[in-house]
Amino acid sequence: MDISVEALQEAISIRRQIDTLEKRLSSMLAPGRRVRAIAALALPHMSAATRAKLAAAATARWARLKAGTKIIPTKMIPVKKGGITPAGRRRLSQLMKARWAARRKAAAKK
């Protein structure tokens, strides 16, 4: 059985390719590995100090809730914007009455 050096090198190259493909396949099919990789990508990294602050804030919220203190987030409180003053309301009322009177007058002429 005479095998040339070139044929042996090609066989070794093919064998290496097969090994790398088998490793890739086994890593894809490994149970739980894909889920962990996706979870690691989906969640932003949070430092331990930040997690501790969030936990302390949550504990404080629950303590206030259990104590009976009503918690109202600032975003939930309606902010009164603008509004009309009594003088402005009176002025608009007079303008509308004048407009209605003009329309009644125009309708009576027809």
Side-chain angles (χ1 to χ4, degrees):
M1 192 170 165
D2 291 332
I3 300 175
S4 68
V5 175
E6 292 175 4
L8 282 173
Q9 287 177 344
E10 187 178 353
I12 291 171
S13 173
I14 291 172
R15 187 56 168 158
R16 286 182 183 154
Q17 289 176 359
I18 290 171
D19 288 341
T20 57
L21 289 172
E22 284 178 346
K23 285 179 185 176
R24 285 179 54 194
L25 182 62
S26 65
S27 69
M28 286 182 188
L29 299 178
R33 181 167 170 86
R34 185 175 171 93
V35 174
R36 277 180 284 170
I38 291 171
L41 292 175
L43 298 175
H45 179 70
M46 194 180 305
S47 69
T50 304
R51 269 185 265 127
K53 287 178 189 176
L54 288 173
T59 305
R61 274 196 306 274
W62 278 107
R64 281 186 303 226
L65 186 66
K66 289 178 182 177
T69 306
K70 188 163 183 161
I71 301 169
I72 302 174
T74 56
K75 290 182 181 180
M76 299 298 286
I77 299 172
V79 178
K80 188 173 181 182
K81 294 183 180 180
I84 190 165
T85 63
R89 186 181 308 272
R90 202 173 316 114
R91 186 173 144 265
L92 285 175
S93 176
Q94 290 171 352
L95 288 171
M96 290 173 72
K97 286 179 183 177
R99 187 178 302 137
W100 294 336
R103 285 187 180 175
R104 266 189 256 117
K105 191 175 182 181
K109 286 183 181 179
K110 287 184 180 179

